[in-house]
Amino acid sequence: MTGVLLTGFEPFGGAAANPSADAVRLAADRWRGPEPLAVGILPVTFAGSGPRLRALLAEHDPEVVIAVGVAGGRSSIGVERVAVNLRDARIPDNAGAQPSSGPSVPGGPPAWFATLPVKRIVRDVRAAHIPCELSLSAGTFVCNNVFAHAMDAASARVRAGFIHVPWATGQAPHGEPELPLADIARALSIAARTALDAPDDVDEPGGTLH
Ligand code: PCA
């Protein structure tokens, strides 16, 4: 059985690279286990991303699955807490599809909570001096779509969730914030290690007032 499945995305929206793919590959290169870690790269399409993620889950049967995507404009690692069952695309995906409403998972619930220990991951990544915060929305584009499919497909035994990352150094267009790729990869390894070792979340009040 594979311990961890990490997925990243191909480039989209005219960008030459996607740090999520670079970071999951680097995290896998540096992973020392002992649990195995598998990596997959997903297409940035509404039609293809869910089936590809489901195929990877069936192939690897992981204990922990963390899907990863870039969130241009963010300066911190963002551990996503809620997947909403909604597609609304501000830009076309890589196949030209641009839905404006409707669910990612027809017949599914309106939303899911990540089953990763999200607050513990934020705490552990920050302890490594990497900026990290809890996020309440993964948006309504392909990343959130994959998050929804992950939560729908993962059995109760699997800890599943999504992490958004900033651009890696040298990649950001228009002066958007960046983080060193090594820090992004390290944050993903910490998240995987924490989810394997400590499935229960910490009991620490947080949230937002508005
Ligand atoms: N980010 C996009 C899709 C792929 C990616 O890396 C998103 O946040 O939806």
Side-chain angles (χ1 to χ4, degrees):
M1 179 177 128
T2 301
V4 182
L5 172 65
L6 285 183
T7 67
F9 280 103
E10 64 186 11
F12 70 103
N18 191 323
S20 65
D22 302 334
V24 297
R25 288 192 186 108
L26 184 59
D29 283 351
R30 295 185 172 173
W31 181 256
R32 293 292 168 262
E35 302 86 351
L37 184 149
V39 159
I41 306 302
L42 307 178
V44 184
T45 65
F46 282 101
S49 55
R52 180 79 190 115
L53 180 83
R54 287 171 185 271
L56 287 165
L57 282 171
E59 181 186 344
H60 296 291
D61 191 22
E63 194 179 328
V64 169
V65 55
I66 305 176
V68 184
V70 65
R74 291 203 200 173
S75 54
S76 305
I77 304 290
V79 182
E80 300 292 350
R81 201 173 194 180
V82 186
V84 62
N85 197 3
L86 177 68
R87 298 173 164 190
D88 190 358
R90 195 174 46 75
I91 59 171
D93 71 12
N94 282 358
Q98 193 170 9
S100 61
S101 65
S104 291
V105 178
W112 298 258
F113 289 117
T115 48
L116 297 172
V118 290
K119 288 186 172 180
R120 190 182 292 278
I121 289 171
V122 170
R123 193 182 71 178
D124 291 354
V125 172
R126 284 183 178 164
H129 307 290
I130 300 168
C132 185
E133 54 198 14
L134 208 51
S135 167
L136 285 175
S137 174
T140 53
F141 192 50
V142 178
C143 284
N144 175 73
N145 181 70
V146 158
F147 189 9
H149 278 277
M151 299 319 303
D152 182 60
S155 67
R157 170 184 73 70
V158 180
R159 265 99 65 206
F162 195 96
I163 294 183
H164 262 124
V165 302
W167 292 109
T169 303
Q171 290 181 335
H174 319 303
E176 288 177 355
E178 299 176 332
L179 270 187
L181 183 64
D183 285 357
I184 298 174
R186 179 135 184 262
L188 300 179
S189 302
I190 292 169
R193 185 77 262 150
T194 294
L196 285 166
D197 291 348
D200 294 332
D201 212 348
V202 290
D203 182 11
E204 268 173 20
T208 57
L209 290 188
H210 40 71

